[in-house]
Amino acid sequence: MKHWTEGFDDGDADESLVRPYTITGGRTTSERDDLTLITLVTTISEASSEIGHGLRRMQPEHRAILGLCRRPLAVAEVASALNLPVSVTKILIGDLIETGQMRARPPLAFAQAGGFPSMTILEAVRDGLRKL
Amino acid sequence: MGYASSDHGDGAPLAVKILIAGGFGVGKTTLVGTVSEVAPLRTEEYLTHASVGVDDLEGVSGKATTTVALDFGRITINSELVLYLFGTPGQERFWFMWNDLVNGAMGAVVLVDTRRLDVSFASIDFFESRGIPFVVGVNCFHGVRDRSQEEIRKALDLDPQVPLVLCDARNRAASRDVLLALVDHLMAAQRSRTAPLPTS
Ligand SMILES: Nc1nc2c(ncn2[C@@H]2O[C@H](COP(=O)(O)OP(=O)(O)OP(=O)(O)O)[C@@H](O)[C@H]2O)c(=O)[nH]1
Ligand SMILES: [Mg+2]
C-alpha cells in the first residue's frame, strides 16, 4: 500500500472528482473502517498547538477539520461543512486520529445483531423531543 | 453518569440516529428540516467509488462524477446525547451506503404519500427484513386523507404491531410526534424484551 504522500501532485486539480482525491494523495479508501457517518470526532486540544506533527504533508483540509472539531462533530457534519464526499472526509479524519490529533467516539451498534438502545437512552431522547 | 458502555467518556456526547426513509418526494427532507436545530445539512458520497470499492485513482477519474446526496439534521438532546436524523432515499442506488446509514440507528420513520404508497414499499421491506424497528408516518399532503388507516395498513401489508401515524412534515409538532411514536414503539419493544409477558 502506498503512503498517501507518495505521488502527490498539485498540478492536476481541474477535474472535480480528482481534486478531493488529490487532497488524500490518491487514496480512495480509508484504512480505518471504524468511522461511521455519526462517529463524533473531536480535536485534541493539546495536539492542535503542534499542528502538523506526525503528518508529513498536512493539507489545508486537515487544518480546517482540526479547527471545526474544537467541539465534537459527526463525520457527516465535517463532510458537509468542508463540502467533501464522506469517503474523502473519513480518510482525512483517519490521518488526524492516527497522528494523535483527534479522537473519535463511535456510536453504539443498535441495529446490529441483538443491539438495542437502553431505556436510559430512550427516555432521554423522548424527553428531549418533548421539549421541541 | 453517561450512556457509554465503553471507555470513550472523554467529553464527546454519544450520537444516536433515526432514519427518515421512504420513496421519492414523500417529504423526508421537509421533515428533517422541520425538527432539526440546524438547517438540513447535505453531504455527498461518490457512487462510483463506494459501489465499486476501487482504490486506484485512475479507475475513478475515468468515470463520470456520480454522487449521491443525503441530507441530515441534528437535535441536541442534552450534553451527553445528540440525535441525528438522516433522510434516506429508497432508491436502490443507495443500498451500498445502507450499512453505514443503519449503523447506530435506533430505528426508522418510513414516510408514505397516500397517493403513491408504492414508492415506499422498498423502504418498508428493507427495515422489515433486517428487523429494524420502524413506524410509518402518513404525510398528509394537501390535507388529503382519502384513505382510512385500515386501508393504508392493508395496502402496505403492515404488521399490526407497527405504529401508523398521520403527520404533516411541514409542521413541527406533528413531525415531533412521529419521532415520539417511534421512541414509544422502541420503549415498548425494550420492555417486552426485558420483562417476560405476565402469565394469564
Ligand atoms: N402539502 C404538503 N407538501 C409537502 C409535505 N411534505 C413535503 N411537501 C412538499 O413535497 C415536496 C417533496 O418534499 P421533500 O421533503 O423534498 O421530499 P423528499 O422525500 O425529501 O424527496 P426526495 O429527497 O426527492 O426523495 C416538496 O415540494 C415539499 O414542499 C406535506 O406534509 N404537505
Ligand atoms: Mg430529500
Side-chain angles (χ1 to χ4, degrees):
Chain A
M1 162 128 309
K2 273 199 287 186
H3 190 269
W4 69 282
T5 53
E6 265 174 52
F8 182 80
D9 182 7
D10 248 338
D12 190 19
D14 52 357
E15 205 185 330
S16 63
L17 181 60
V18 173
R19 169 60 190 156
Y21 288 123
T22 302
I23 301 168
T24 67
R27 293 166 304 163
T28 58
T29 41
S30 176
E31 283 166 48
R32 309 180 60 94
D33 53 7
D34 58 336
L35 290 173
T36 75
L37 287 166
I38 60 163
T39 298
L40 289 178
V41 291
T42 317
T43 302
I44 297 172
S45 48
E46 317 86 68
S48 58
S49 56
E50 35 187 306
I51 271 173
H53 180 78
L55 257 193
R56 284 198 281 142
R57 194 75 181 246
M58 189 89 164
Q59 292 291 314
E61 287 78 5
H62 285 113
R63 281 190 199 93
I65 292 172
L66 290 176
L68 272 172
C69 296
R70 296 216 177 83
R71 66 184 179 95
L73 284 183
V75 168
E77 290 177 293
V78 177
S80 173
L82 295 186
N83 207 7
L84 285 174
V86 173
S87 53
V88 172
T89 307
K90 284 180 179 172
I91 293 170
L92 299 175
I93 290 173
D95 294 338
L96 294 166
I97 292 172
E98 228 121 85
T99 54
Q101 298 179 84
M102 293 195 101
R103 63 168 74 96
R105 180 167 189 188
L108 302 176
F110 300 136
Q112 267 68 10
F116 207 87
S118 71
M119 217 44 146
T120 319
I121 290 177
L122 291 171
E123 278 164 5
V125 171
R126 184 194 56 192
D127 296 346
L129 287 174
R130 280 183 181 160
K131 280 187 237 145
L132 276 186
Chain B
M1 60 138 204
Y3 307 107
S5 57
S6 63
D7 55 2
H8 285 91
D10 50 21
L14 178 68
V16 294
K17 174 164 59 181
I18 291 176
L19 303 176
I20 311 297
F24 179 74
V26 292
K28 301 179 293 291
T29 304
T30 305
L31 188 144
V32 169
T34 301
V35 291
S36 175
E37 69 195 19
V38 295
L41 299 166
R42 175 156 272 249
T43 188
E44 302 214 331
E45 182 60 294
Y46 289 135
L47 197 53
T48 43
H49 153 59
S51 53
V52 180
V54 291
D55 69 354
D56 69 305
L57 184 59
E58 265 177 302
V60 177
S61 58
K63 289 180 189 135
T65 309
T66 315
T67 60
V68 288
L70 71 160
D71 37 36
F72 62 99
R74 169 181 174 129
I75 299 173
T76 302
I77 298 294
N78 58 40
S79 61
E80 293 176 3
L81 199 57
V82 187
L83 170 63
Y84 289 94
L85 303 172
F86 276 79
T88 54
Q91 294 99 308
E92 276 168 27
R93 64 201 184 92
F94 262 89
W95 275 183
F96 74 91
M97 280 195 84
W98 276 61
N99 279 342
D100 199 354
L101 281 168
V102 157
N103 198 339
M106 301 197 297
V109 171
V110 177
L111 288 176
V112 301
D113 175 346
T114 51
R115 299 163 299 185
R116 305 176 295 124
L117 287 174
D118 58 303
V119 300
S120 294
F121 285 171
S123 301
I124 290 176
D125 287 346
F126 180 87
F127 296 117
E128 263 177 2
S129 65
R130 310 222 167 181
I132 296 169
F134 67 98
V135 301
V136 172
V138 181
N139 202 6
C140 299
F141 286 88
H142 315 293
V144 180
R145 299 209 173 160
D146 49 355
R147 297 218 206 183
S148 75
Q149 296 200 26
E150 238 4 87
E151 280 177 312
I152 297 170
R153 280 188 170 281
K154 210 171 156 211
L156 294 173
D157 192 20
L158 214 55
D159 189 292
Q161 285 138 342
V162 175
L164 182 133
V165 276
L166 301 177
C167 77
D168 180 334
R170 297 162 304 172
N171 180 281
R172 193 157 213 217
S175 299
R176 177 200 61 203
D177 288 347
V178 181
L179 299 175
L180 281 170
L182 174 66
V183 177
D184 285 344
H185 183 53
L186 291 166
M187 288 175 118
Q190 177 67 282
R191 267 183 225 108
S192 67
R193 283 159 56 96
T194 49
L197 292 171
T199 45
S200 52

